[in-house]
Each structure stands twice: as C-alpha cells, then as structure tokens.
Amino acid sequence: MARFSRSDFTLESFRRQLANIDALPQLCVLGLVSGVITGAVMVAFRLLLEAGAALYMPDGNPEGFESLAPWLRALLPIVAVSVIGVLLYRQKAAARKLGVGHVIERLSYHQGRFPLRNWLNQWWVGVVSVLGGLSAGREGPAIHLGAAASSGLGLNLRLPNNSLRVLVACGTAAAISASFNTPIAGVIFAMEVVMMEYTLMSFMPVILASTMGALVAQVVYGNEPAFRIPEVALGSLMNLPWVVVIGLFIGLLAGLFIHISRSQQLQAWPLWLRLAFVGVATGAVAWWFPEIQGIGYDSVAAALNNQLELNVLFALMIAKLLITAITVAGGVPIGIIGPVLVVGAATGALGGMLGGWLWPDKAADPGVYAMLGMAAMMGAVLQAPLAALMALLELTHTPHIMLPGMLVVVVACLTSRQLTGCEGFFISSVRYGLHPLQQPLMQALSRVSVPAVMERHLVRTERMITPDQARRLLETNPVWLVIERSREEKPVLALKAAELARWLLEHDEALQGEVPPDDELIDLLEIPGQRLEMAPIGLQATLSEAFLKLQGGAFGALYVVHGYRPKQQRISGIITRGAIERYYHYADPRESDPRDPTA
C-alpha cells in the first residue's frame, strides 16, 4: 500500500505514490490543502461581491434590489449584459466557458485541467451577473473558482492526472461548503453531480476538503445557518398525498426550466439580440418585482417564514424560472442553483397555501412546503436527489423534515426524468448513450495513472547491433527492447527481449563453434518476432487516457515519457492494451504476471 516513508519523502516519491489506486494518505493531505485554498478563494469572492455592492446598493447588501429606484434596477440588467457581451464575447469561444458545466467538461475530457483565462473571467462575470440584477446565483462561479484553484495546486506540483480528478472534487465540495455552510451537502454534490461516482478513495479527501472549506468560511462569517426558520412540523400524515402532488408539479416545472434553458430556437438568434432580450426582459419584470433579481436568498428566507405576498410568490415561481432559463439560453454564463432554490421555495409555499385553503385543520404550515419545494426543485433540475436532501437538512437545521423531503424529492426527480425526458441540467446536452463520467470502465481507469501498471524493465537500442551488443542488452533481463530507427527519430517500435534471446540461441546453435564474422550485424527489424508500433504518452496520464489512445490509433503500445523539458525527457516504461485490461479485470495489476504485458 502507498504509505508515507520518512526516509524517502520527496515530491517525486509523492507523485509516484499518487499514481496508484491505494494512495489514500497522500490524497487526504491534498484534500486538506485543497479545502484551505478553496475556502480562502470563496471568502475572497464573497468579499468581492460585498465590495461591489457597497458602491451603489443600499447598506452594501448584494441582494438589496428592492430598495433601489425602479428605473435603476430595470437598467442594471441591460448594463450587465452589455458589459458581458463586450468584454466576454470578444474573446475566443473556449475562454467563454464558465461555471459548473465547464467544470464537468474539463473533468470529462481534459483530466481536470483548467485554463487560466476562464478562471480569471469567472471572477468578474460572477460579480457582474449577481450585482447587475440578473437572475443569477453565486454557486456556479464558486464551484468553478474552487475546482480550478484546487486543480491548479496539482498542476503546479505536477501531480498525476488521477489525483487532479480528486482535487477537482475537493474544490467543488469545499466551494459548496464554504458558500452555504453545508459541508455534508458539499461532499454529496461533488460526488453526485460533478464526479458522478462514489468511491472510498475519493470520499475521504473530499470530506476533509469540505470540512476545511467550511472552517475557513466560518472563521470569517461565523457558524450561522443560511436561513433562520421557526420550529415547524409536518403534522398530520394526511399531508403526504399533497406532498406527492407538489412533487409532481415541481418535477414538471424542472423539466420546463431545462427545456427552455436548452432551447435551440433561442440559441439560434444573433448574439446581440439574445443579450438584449435577456436584459430587457429582466429589467421589465424587475420594475414591478425586484425579488426576481440576484440570488434571492432573502426571498427564500421570507418564504420560509411566510412573509411574502401571494403575487410575489407567483412572480418568483413563474417569472424567476422563465427569466433564469432565458438568461441561460441567451448565452449569459450564470449560476443556476440559487435561483432554482428560490423557485422551489416559492412553489412549495404556494402549494402549502393552497393545501391550507383545502384542508385548514390538517394542512402543515406553508413554510414546511417551502422547505420541501426547495429540495424538490434542486433535486429535479440537477437529478441529484441525495445532494438536495443533504442541502435541505443543513440549510434548515430541521431533521424531522427528512421523511417528507425524501418523498417529494424522489417524486420530483422521477417526474422530471420520465415525463419531461430530462437527464439533469448539466448533462442534458448528451443525447445518446452515457455521459463519459457515467461509464464504469472509464471511471475505473481514470482512478489510476500509467506508472501503476507500466512495464519498467526495458532497454533502448539502435536498429543495427552486433551479437555481443545484443548479449549485453539482455544481461539486465529486460522485458522490452525499445528500437530507435535512427538517432534523429523518436523510438516507435518495441520488441520483446525474449524474441532476441531466442534468435541468439538459434544463431549460436547454427554456428556450431564457428567464429562469426567481425562485421556481423543483427537487424532488429528483421529477426522473427512481433514488433509493436508505439506512440508517446506522459507520465501523468491516467489509464483512461492510455486506453483511448490505444483504441483510437494503430498502436500496439505506448512508451511513457518522463520529464518536463523536451531535451531532458526519458522513457520510463511501456504500457500495453493487455496491461490495461488486466488492471480493469483484476483491480490490482500485481495479481498478474508483470512480465507478460501483452497477455
């Protein structure tokens, strides 16, 4: 098992240990450091929001849009989309990808490596979208900032790519934990929504990261729950059928939200028209209902405490849902988790009011239904029921709400998936087959880097050698001979050393004591034996990267390049398709014969 050693603790040994599947202590250390870094980034982001709000918002409150003059709050969204359109859309398309969707994309296709430009863009776009009066949350930007910062730690230390994946999950969990003061929900969200898997090797580092992220935020903001609510209870079990009805309705709303946000018709409009539509529509609604602007946590708190009027609840349920979906479809990169919670709370509160009118003696308090609506909407939109339940528990600090919470979340998730055909907001663009992160084979291969299974017993040689040179090559008992076709070319062929040993044995028997000519040469490309075309792969790569490279090309093996400067690179090993297949089938490559890498 990969453990710490006092006598051999160097950064290079740390990297080597992380390449294995059992590097739990090393990953836990990374989780701790990642949590501290992400917590600091989250505090900085919240302070940046507060500093921006101090410029023009009443009392410096980032959500104080209700106190602004109607003309000002209606103008702010138009200014915000103009700034985003001018500054963000003048950049390349790749630099405009932000938020949770970008995190999942980088984890799926880029092994958790994040471009610096996107990370820098996320800072100001997150601030402009929230303070600019758009219907936007801070969670999406927070997750992107935290995941990229944690991944940057691994990149700067040149850690193997399998550990970068865990660092992305650590940054995600710590960001959610620090934003909401919900460490458990942060862990579940990272595993259920971003990683899309549950493994012991990922859970422990992510738990530590989420804990440290919450602690850093609590040092600055205290240990207060996100929402203060009165003591309420579901009361009579007669409320459970009504909970099911509300879950069905919220599931339909979640499907409507996803379909509008992915609308191909709206996305086909010219950019200037989309942005103008988003700004004008948001400003027009905000003239009468400023509650739809910003994150909306103040509205959630008011809904939980039965402090919102009926027309405001309707505006939050319908207008905020439509405005948020249109903003996403219009190309404005915003966080959607906060607005989704607001819509769910308003819908639940309205359902509770209707239930109180139908069954005045048995109906629970509308605040209870507001809590349930929050969890149901989050679970249905993200298709993350467990994360929604943990968020419900930690946001409200009300354990007895979990029984109806489980019922309403499951009903809403099933309704959204089965009746509206939505697979979840962040993976809804995958129309056929499983998302890459949902494929069991790729998940298993992504947990280990190539050094864990590569064959290290090899020697490099030229194509033409003498019999004496061949015997000296075989003295170290290599498994592979890496053949260089010429001094200028990269090594591209591999030959099993056993093939050369067999040829030498037959050659010596054929001579029968005769003296071989002095100029005799062996052409390693001509002796009998199978030669494998090879392509290079980095030492940090995961087995999933190696597998895809072998699947996608006419290569029989890959040679693993070690070194970060071109002139100092060396070959550390060879990895074959057989070695990868054995790892997947047996989980531990040491159970198989390491000297038969093509089995």
Side-chain angles (χ1 to χ4, degrees), residues 415-467:
T415 302
S416 175
R417 177 182 287 269
Q418 300 300 323
L419 297 187
T420 69
C422 295
E423 298 294 324
F425 180 83
F426 294 115
I427 61 171
S428 58
S429 58
V430 180
R431 300 190 181 277
Y432 302 102
L434 291 176
H435 189 278
L437 291 178
Q438 295 174 311
Q439 299 173 10
L441 173 62
M442 302 313 292
Q443 284 183 351
L445 296 182
S446 294
R447 297 180 195 132
V448 182
S449 287
V450 293
V453 299
M454 71 183 183
E455 177 56 66
R456 301 174 185 271
H457 296 84
L458 57 88
V459 291
R460 298 177 67 169
T461 178
E462 298 178 9
R463 171 181 175 178
M464 308 297 295
I465 59 175
T466 65

Side-chain angles (χ1 to χ4, degrees), residues 40-57:
V41 170
M42 293 305 96
V43 170
F45 184 62
R46 290 178 66 173
L47 291 175
L48 188 60
L49 284 172
E50 292 168 6
L55 297 177
Y56 62 92
M57 298 292 282

